[in-house]
Amino acid sequence: MPEGDTVLQTARRLHTALADQVLTRSDLRVPRFATADLTGRTVLATLSRGKHLLTRIEGGLTLHSHLRMDGSWRVYAPGERWRGGPSHQIRAILATADRTAVGYRLPVLELLRTADEEKAVGHLGPDLLGPGWDPGTALRNLLSDPTRPLGDALLDQRNLAGIGNIYKAELCFLARVTPWLPVGELPAPTAARLVTTAKQLLEANRDRPVRTTTGSRARGYGAHERLWVYGRTHRPCLRCGAPIRTAEQDTRPTYWCPRCQSGPTP
């Protein structure tokens, strides 16, 4: 599932391509909105909220989409070949005179009134990359269920919005605890630092084409050293050299260092 920084970058691409332009074609290939026609309306803006995308359109309408695991939005110039997947995977087409945005494999696609956007995203916790970021509320949300495993709590978008499986693993490594540690067992300074670090990591990667969490400490490292633990099963830990381990947590692969991170494991 894309992380919040990836979704923000997608929102920027859609905004650059479509904002202030009149739609010359609209095609929403989901049964509920298949007859909706946005042709002739001006696209006002596209923004992200956590992992959600909101494209606001003239007339008080918003096209809400979510990428989840496999979805993507691609932008093409006139005459450019569409390369995002086979045509049967296309769920949305928004075209102007200069650009065409094509949504592939979008599991969530709905047209709603802009005034009703909160019905789609109002459940989200503070957005790590949003203007209303509130670390205090995010920390309280994260600690609201003391028995919940930290990895699960970090992925719950109702606590704080924007963390996916990659950042979950990286944040737990940087906090030196396993993703299965109950959040109530986190020392207070560690919990507060975790929220601050989450914000710093997403901010640092919001403009990067390739995500990294190791930062300057990765000088001279290759592609496998851009992240501390995620995707590095059996490779040596960049801090201590122990082989990185992996196991499932709520059906998703989770990575950790058995030497650097303390706490329960499967």
Side-chain angles (χ1 to χ4, degrees), residues 33-45:
F33 303 104
T35 60
D37 186 6
L38 303 173
T39 303
R41 297 176 185 257
T42 299
V43 177
L44 304 179

Side-chain angles (χ1 to χ4, degrees), residues 154-230:
L154 286 170
L155 287 178
D156 190 336
Q157 303 301 295
R158 296 170 298 181
N159 291 336
L160 63 172
I163 294 175
N165 208 36
I166 296 175
Y167 282 121
K168 176 196 79 171
E170 298 295 286
L171 286 165
C172 289
F173 175 82
L174 291 170
R176 293 181 174 266
V177 297
T178 68
W180 293 273
L181 182 78
V183 294
E185 296 183 20
L186 279 173
T190 301
R193 190 165 55 249
L194 189 68
V195 171
T196 301
T197 303
K199 172 71 168 174
Q200 291 172 339
L201 287 182
L202 268 75
E203 286 282 359
N205 285 288
R206 63 186 297 166
D207 299 318
R208 289 175 177 165
V210 178
R211 181 183 295 116
T212 178
T213 59
T214 53
S216 61
R217 286 168 288 189
R219 282 197 302 268
Y221 292 160
H224 289 293
E225 284 74 34
R226 294 192 186 108
L227 303 175
W228 289 108
V229 292
Y230 185 87

Side-chain angles (χ1 to χ4, degrees), residues 1-3 10 27 55 58 103 110-111 113 129 132-133 136 144-145 152 162 171 174 185 202 206 227 240 263:
M1 182 179 292
E3 317 278 322
T10 299
D27 186 358
T55 297
E58 179 186 18
E110 61 175 344
L111 190 64
R113 294 182 59 81
L129 293 177
W133 168 246
S144 61
D145 182 355
D152 289 344
L171 286 165
L174 291 170
E185 296 183 20
L202 268 75
R206 63 186 297 166
L227 303 175
C240 75

Side-chain angles (χ1 to χ4, degrees), residues 3-8 11 47-54 118 121-139 141 156-163 195 198-200 202-203 206:
E3 317 278 322
D5 51 2
T6 300
V7 177
L8 176 65
L47 60 150
S48 64
R49 176 82 181 273
K51 299 184 183 183
H52 297 253
L53 289 161
L54 302 169
E118 287 301 298
V121 296
H123 66 287
L124 298 175
D127 186 349
L128 282 152
L129 293 177
W133 168 246
D134 183 346
T137 297
L139 181 59
N141 292 346
D156 190 336
Q157 303 301 295
R158 296 170 298 181
N159 291 336
L160 63 172
I163 294 175
V195 171
K199 172 71 168 174
Q200 291 172 339
L202 268 75
E203 286 282 359
R206 63 186 297 166

Side-chain angles (χ1 to χ4, degrees), residues 229-250:
V229 292
Y230 185 87
R232 302 191 67 252
T233 308
H234 303 313
R235 291 181 177 274
C237 173
L238 298 176
R239 181 179 283 155
C240 75
I244 298 300
R245 297 184 61 187
T246 184
E248 283 195 355
Q249 184 177 33
D250 192 24

